[in-house]
Amino acid sequence: TTAEALKALQSACDYEPDNTLNWWLLGDMHLQAGNIARAERAYTQMLTLARTATRSHPNDLNAQRDLSISYEKIGNIQQAQGDLVSAIATYRTKLKIDQQLTKHDSSNTKWQRDLSISYNKIGNIQHAQGDLSGALASYQAYHAIAKTLAQKDTGNVQAQTDLVISYWKLAVLKGNNGVTTKEANDYLHRAIEIMVRLKNEGKLNAEQKDWEQRLRNLLVD
């Protein structure tokens, strides 16, 4: 049960208080259970540990990624609380770390995906704030990375669905900032094509099975 999982994760954190992964998992479990305040405390502890690790070992790239993930988790909490100003600032801090990591090793697909997630999350807030031109630029940066990763590994469902989401995000900006209805429909058709293929291959999870119809509902005649 969730309660048992939380108890086990808390015990793991108590036993290894310097293990960032334990705090990450504990925060995720609290968030899943709807305990936002407790999730925030766990993520804040993860952030503290990651900051300490990067100061002590500035060349430790794994510690740098832990720091990036910590900022992402804190940003998610801020966004859930409606503090979009703080959230976008936190995501931009994450973005800078991801840019440095990918600059160090551009072939690392995990870091490239982290970078794409930063652009996506920043774009989401820009969109919510009405900064449509900013959102478009962020979504285009997200899409460029997602497309590259999807083309490199056509069998990777996560990479393929990331590409679908990037098409989806671009399509919802139709009619604004030069995104025409024709372009929006083109994005949607490409996303639908991927979803149909994944469905036929039996690779969709329960949540993703209605994506195809939701995408079709956005098509404009």
Side-chain angles (χ1 to χ4, degrees), residues 193-211:
E193 182 181 344
I194 296 170
M195 295 307 296
V196 169
R197 174 170 62 81
L198 293 176
K199 179 180 68 175
N200 291 339
E201 294 173 354
K203 294 180 177 179
L204 299 180
N205 62 33
E207 179 189 347
Q208 295 164 342
K209 287 182 178 178
D210 72 335
W211 286 16

Side-chain angles (χ1 to χ4, degrees), residues 19-83:
N19 188 318
T20 55
L21 179 59
N22 288 340
W23 291 105
W24 175 355
L25 295 175
L26 179 62
D28 284 355
M29 184 59 67
H30 274 307
L31 196 60
Q32 183 179 323
N35 303 322
I36 294 180
R38 291 182 180 180
E40 183 176 19
R41 285 197 291 272
Y43 293 146
T44 299
Q45 182 61 26
M46 179 187 178
L47 176 61
T48 298
L49 291 171
R51 281 174 170 166
T52 300
T54 54
R55 283 195 293 265
S56 301
H57 304 91
N59 296 321
D60 185 340
L61 300 181
N62 288 325
Q64 291 290 337
R65 183 170 189 257
D66 283 346
L67 186 61
S68 167
I69 297 299
S70 300
Y71 280 119
E72 178 185 341
K73 298 297 184 179
I74 294 294
N76 292 347
I77 293 292
Q78 291 167 331
Q79 185 174 8
Q81 293 172 332
D83 186 359

Side-chain angles (χ1 to χ4, degrees), residues 170-171 173-187:
L170 288 169
L173 290 175
K174 64 179 179 294
N176 297 296
N177 303 292
V179 178
T180 65
T181 298
K182 182 179 181 301
E183 287 175 314
N185 279 346
D186 184 49
Y187 293 143

